[in-house]
Amino acid sequence: MAKGGSWPERGVVAAPSGGASAVWGECKGSGSKPYLAAVHLDGDGGPAFKCSCPSRKIPCKHVLALLALWAQDDVAVRAEKPEWVGSWLNGRAARRARAENGAPAAPADPAKAAQTLQKREEAVGAGLEELRTWLYDQVDAGLAEVPKQGYDHWDRMARRLTDAKARGASTLVSQLPSAARGDHWPERVLEQLGLLHLLVVGHRAGDALGERTRGAVRARVGITTRAEDVLAGGERVRDTWRVLGWRDVATPENDMRARRVWLRGAETGRTALSLTFGRAGEAPATAFRVGTEVAAEFAFYPDGHRVVPLGDGDTGPAPEPGGGTVAEALDAFAAVLAEDPWQDAWPVVLDRAAPALPTGGGDRWHLADPTGAALPLASPDPWRLLAVTGGHPATVAAEWSPSHGLTPLTVWDRNGKAVSL
């Protein structure tokens, strides 16, 4: 990307004392509009970065490419700079001046924020309409053509959705090639195409959907809700929250890891998801520890699951959570799917569950309840679970995914001690 031809417009903003104050550029993307990237070089606290691409990486690849060009003396000083560069630099200077004078930060402009959100909605809507047409084309062509398609076939649509700021939908499209492998791939591909179509239909339905389903649709499409907005207007629930378990998973960007911490309200029975992120190779930070409970108030995101804690609560040891049967766990998951059909992971707590192999043969381990019902384990090696329980029934908190299986998160030993798996 660090090629002059990819940056038809670029320049350096000279500092009053000489040298470079900022470097900016417009990079050609897969869409009709270029990505706008800039770096403030002499700001307080080190360089600051800006780019209009949807990447979570800071700095993103466009900023790094721009810096590489500048380091190679391929970006010249220009007397004129675009309006968007001037507005960004002026805003940073104004905030620095307010901070130096001890003045409070200026409140956000509600009208401007609403206008920005409307433009985002329009871009996402246009991208999803293209996705709808593309989905019809895939079905018209027939599933038999799927294995013949190269990665470029899927990446073109994924990139278009990224340009339309529908990053969530883009990620779902990019996962289609992996679904087209192995046994029973036609069923998996058709299921994924169906879920994508359902997402398009859900977005078109807009406010006609229930509040939680609407929140789930927006989150799955890629329209994020800021934590500040959740704290300001999200549903608030006070309870004693028991930590069921946690799991680290890779994000679509692959250089970040997400930690999912599942909690359950002792009085409300409400399930809450605390989500934190960390760089690859670093453990995401979290304030919750398995085997404890915290009396606190949570603000819920629009989907009704993810939360933002409101301050620190009183923490103490938690009793063993109440579990249920496999049938009850699946009923609870079905209720979640009724509001969020794209949910692929949900916490369950099984009472007196024990690892078992199928009696009719097979080498895949299951977790069975006293009724004999069982769920397949995602991992082929449940040795840590067996080491703690000795194969005896125990209370197990796990994450259930129909596509992957059951992933044990926490087990309570014979003394009632929580052991994180």
Side-chain angles (χ1 to χ4, degrees):
M1 204 162 285
K3 299 177 181 178
S6 299
W7 299 82
E9 293 292 335
R10 59 189 187 273
V12 171
V13 179
S17 58
S21 172
V23 58
W24 59 270
E26 300 180 1
C27 180
K28 293 179 181 179
S30 55
S32 58
K33 296 182 178 180
Y35 292 124
L36 308 180
V39 184
H40 191 190
L41 298 165
D42 61 353
D44 290 346
F49 313 102
K50 174 183 177 64
C51 187
S52 60
C53 77
S55 175
R56 287 184 181 177
K57 299 179 182 179
I58 302 175
C60 67
K61 59 186 178 182
H62 304 103
V63 167
L64 293 177
L66 179 62
L67 287 173
L69 283 174
W70 174 64
Q72 297 165 12
D73 294 327
D74 201 6
V75 185
V77 174
R78 291 179 58 169
E80 300 292 333
K81 57 181 178 291
E83 187 275 335
W84 63 271
V85 177
S87 297
W88 181 57
L89 295 177
N90 291 337
R92 285 183 51 78
R95 286 191 293 273
R96 181 172 57 185
R98 285 195 297 267
E100 292 175 350
N101 296 329
D109 184 353
K112 185 176 180 180
Q115 185 179 21
T116 301
L117 180 60
Q118 182 180 359
K119 290 182 178 179
R120 173 79 182 272
E121 295 275 7
E122 292 173 353
V124 170
L128 291 182
E129 283 302 310
E130 288 190 35
L131 174 61
R132 185 169 68 94
T133 302
W134 182 83
L135 289 171
Y136 290 157
D137 291 342
Q138 308 314 303
V139 176
D140 287 343
L143 292 181
E145 298 298 317
V146 168
K148 304 176 185 177
Q149 304 290 358
Y151 280 98
D152 286 345
H153 172 76
W154 314 99
D155 288 345
R156 280 194 298 271
M157 189 67 245
R159 287 195 299 268
R160 174 64 192 101
L161 290 169
T162 298
D163 291 341
K165 303 185 184 302
R167 188 59 181 269
S170 173
T171 299
L172 294 176
V173 171
S174 64
Q175 293 172 351
L176 284 169
S178 62
R181 300 194 190 107
D183 297 333
H184 308 293
W185 66 263
E187 291 89 343
R188 289 196 302 273
V189 170
L190 189 59
E191 179 184 8
Q192 293 299 317
L193 293 177
L195 286 173
L196 278 166
H197 184 262
L198 185 62
L199 191 62
V200 173
V201 174
H203 186 266
R204 295 181 75 188
D207 295 335
L209 299 174
E211 182 178 356
R212 290 189 183 179
T213 304
R214 174 65 171 155
V217 167
R218 292 172 64 82
R220 301 292 174 180
V221 166
I223 301 176
T224 56
T225 303
R226 298 186 308 166
E228 294 84 353
D229 296 333
V230 175
L231 292 172
E235 177 191 7
R236 297 191 176 192
V237 179
R238 176 171 290 278
D239 204 338
T240 299
W241 302 95
R242 294 172 180 170
V243 183
L244 299 180
W246 60 269
R247 184 184 180 196
D248 287 352
V249 294
T251 64
E253 290 82 2
N254 291 324
D255 67 332
M256 299 282 287
R257 294 192 68 80
R259 173 163 293 182
R260 294 196 290 248
V261 181
W262 297 102
L263 306 100
R264 177 184 291 173
E267 297 180 6
T268 62
R270 186 81 174 263
T271 298
L273 169 63
S274 172
L275 195 61
T276 56
F277 297 90
R279 296 288 182 185
E282 299 178 0
T286 178
F288 303 110
R289 189 163 52 89
V290 170
T292 65
E293 62 183 14
V294 55
E297 186 176 21
F298 287 168
F300 280 79
Y301 277 76
D303 64 2
H305 305 315
R306 188 181 172 189
V307 297
V308 177
L310 293 164
D312 298 327
D314 297 329
T315 303
E320 188 172 315
T325 64
V326 167
E328 290 170 338
L330 294 179
D331 286 343
F333 183 65
V336 173
L337 289 181
E339 293 181 339
D340 183 359
W342 307 273
Q343 185 68 253
D344 191 46
W346 191 250
V348 298
V349 181
L350 299 179
D351 180 39
R352 292 175 292 164
L357 288 170
T359 56
D363 56 359
R364 185 171 185 180
W365 286 88
H366 287 59
L367 203 60
D369 67 12
T371 70
L375 293 173
L377 294 179
S379 172
D381 302 319
W383 307 126
R384 295 189 65 186
L385 177 61
L386 287 168
V388 175
T389 64
H392 296 289
T395 299
V396 180
E399 199 176 71
W400 167 244
S401 169
S403 57
H404 298 97
L406 195 69
T407 301
L409 305 177
T410 309
V411 60
W412 282 259
D413 64 16
R414 66 183 66 185
N415 298 318
K417 179 183 178 182
V419 179
S420 180
L421 300 175

